[in-house]
């Protein structure tokens, strides 16, 4: 019985490493996609985001997904009896590896990038987005939480309260799971473009704070 439990725990730990590796590559891709690319690797769940918000929306979506996967990889490994310090070492290494490989492939990609007017227009729309009035209660509550987090994170940043900022940052990453549930519902409505643009608008501001 103990042997079976050990095997199961080991399998779950391996899964957590896989989650962490995928999350690291999502982060690397997300950072690079803030600049226009000739081609994009787009997870299916983020395809609607790219269609309506271009490369900026895709970049933000990948950063959110990557952060969520890294966070839950750490939690999963810890719950399975793994030593947290191992993940604190492995996840940064995965991230460095992902950024290194992504840079390598980008530098070796042949051909010039084609101008993409649609992406430029989408970027402008995200930058000028205003909060829309939505008929979806879940989406409205989500935007309320997002705006509140942005306001609280701004205060924490201005007061140099790192502990408070890290706590809010975790809440922001957790909010990504809620967004993943709302997107399929909103994608069926004509309000989806304005919703996803405003979400990208606020999320982009938050990510700028996180990177500074």
């Amino acid at each position: 019985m103990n042997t079976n439990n050990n095997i199961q725990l080991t399998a779950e730990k391996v899964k957590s490493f896989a989650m962490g590796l995928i999350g690291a590559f999502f982060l690397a891709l997300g950072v690079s996609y803030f600049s226009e690319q000739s081609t994009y690797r787009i997870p299916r769940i983020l395809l609607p985001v790219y269609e309506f918000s271009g490369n900026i929306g895709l970049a933000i979506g990948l950063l959110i997904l990557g952060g969520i996967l890294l966070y839950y990889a750490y939690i999963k490994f810890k719950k399975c009896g793994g030593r947290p310090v191992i993940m604190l070492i492995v996840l940064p290494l995965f991230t460095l590896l992902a950024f290194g490989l992504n840079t390598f492939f980008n530098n070796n990609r042949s051909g010039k990038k084609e101008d993409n007017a649609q992406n430029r227009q989408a970027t402008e729309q995200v930058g000028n987005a205003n909060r829309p009035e939505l008929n979806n209660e879940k989406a409205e509550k989500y935007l309320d939480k997002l705006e509140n987090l942005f306001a609280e994170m701004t205060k924490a940043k201005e007061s140099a309260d790192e502990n408070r900022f890290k706590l809010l940052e975790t809440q922001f990453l957790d909010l990504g799971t809620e967004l993943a549930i709302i997107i399929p519902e909103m994608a069926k409505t004509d309000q989806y473009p304005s919703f996803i643009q405003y979400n990208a608008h606020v999320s982009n501001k938050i990510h700028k704070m996180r990177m500074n």
Side-chain angles (χ1 to χ4, degrees), residues 8 12 41 43 49 55 58 70 82 95 97-98 106 108 112 118 122 134 144-145 149 155 160 164 173 198 204 210 212:
Q8 185 175 358
E12 292 300 315
R41 301 179 184 90
V49 178
N55 63 298
L58 176 60
L70 288 174
T95 304
L97 174 64
N106 283 340
N108 286 276
K112 295 182 179 180
Q118 182 179 0
L134 305 174
D144 287 340
K145 293 178 184 177
L149 274 174
K155 292 179 183 177
R164 174 65 175 165
L173 295 176
Y198 185 70
N204 192 26
R210 294 178 65 208
N212 290 335

Side-chain angles (χ1 to χ4, degrees), residues 23 26-27 29-30 33 41 43 46 57-67:
F26 279 178
L27 283 181
L29 289 174
Y33 285 177
R41 301 179 184 90
L46 293 179
L58 176 60
I60 293 171
L62 284 167
L63 289 175
I64 292 173
L65 282 179

Side-chain angles (χ1 to χ4, degrees), residues 8-72:
Q8 185 175 358
L9 286 174
T10 301
E12 292 300 315
K13 289 178 182 177
V14 171
K15 289 180 182 178
S16 69
F17 281 120
M19 288 174 61
L21 184 60
I22 294 171
F25 273 97
F26 279 178
L27 283 181
L29 289 174
V31 171
S32 66
Y33 285 177
F34 277 105
S35 300
E36 290 185 3
Q37 309 286 322
S38 57
T39 58
Y40 296 92
R41 301 179 184 90
I42 307 175
R44 184 174 299 178
I45 191 173
L46 293 179
L47 185 58
V49 178
Y50 173 70
E51 290 176 348
F52 288 105
S53 300
N55 63 298
I56 298 297
L58 176 60
I60 293 171
L62 284 167
L63 289 175
I64 292 173
L65 282 179
I68 291 171
L69 285 173
L70 288 174
Y71 175 73
Y72 282 105

Side-chain angles (χ1 to χ4, degrees), residues 79-205:
K79 284 184 177 179
C80 292
R83 295 173 59 190
V85 68
I86 294 177
M87 271 304 199
L88 292 177
I89 295 173
V90 170
L91 292 181
L93 289 177
F94 279 171
T95 304
L96 288 174
L97 174 64
F99 274 91
L101 289 175
N102 189 54
T103 301
F104 174 80
F105 286 119
N106 283 340
N107 290 340
N108 286 276
R109 188 176 295 160
S110 61
K112 295 182 179 180
K113 300 175 184 177
E114 298 179 358
D115 289 335
N116 194 322
Q118 182 179 0
N119 281 349
R120 289 198 301 271
Q121 182 181 5
T123 301
E124 293 175 0
Q125 289 174 342
V126 168
N128 299 323
N130 295 315
R131 176 163 179 169
E133 293 184 5
L134 305 174
N135 297 327
N136 187 299
E137 185 178 355
K138 291 181 183 178
E140 285 284 3
K141 289 183 178 179
Y142 166 82
L143 291 181
D144 287 340
K145 293 178 184 177
L146 185 65
E147 289 177 339
N148 289 335
L149 274 174
F150 172 64
E152 291 298 319
M153 291 176 80
T154 300
K155 292 179 183 177
K157 196 74 172 179
E158 291 175 348
S159 61
D161 189 343
E162 294 185 6
N163 291 332
R164 174 65 175 165
F165 189 83
K166 288 180 180 179
L167 176 62
L168 293 168
E169 192 174 26
T170 300
Q171 294 178 18
F172 171 66
L173 295 176
D174 289 341
L175 200 59
T177 57
E178 190 172 332
L179 176 62
I181 296 173
I182 295 171
I183 283 178
E185 296 180 11
M186 291 299 297
K188 300 174 184 177
T189 71
D190 57 1
Q191 295 178 330
Y192 181 64
S194 55
F195 167 74
I196 208 66
Q197 286 169 9
Y198 185 70
N199 174 70
H201 174 70
V202 180
S203 296
N204 192 26
K205 290 182 178 180

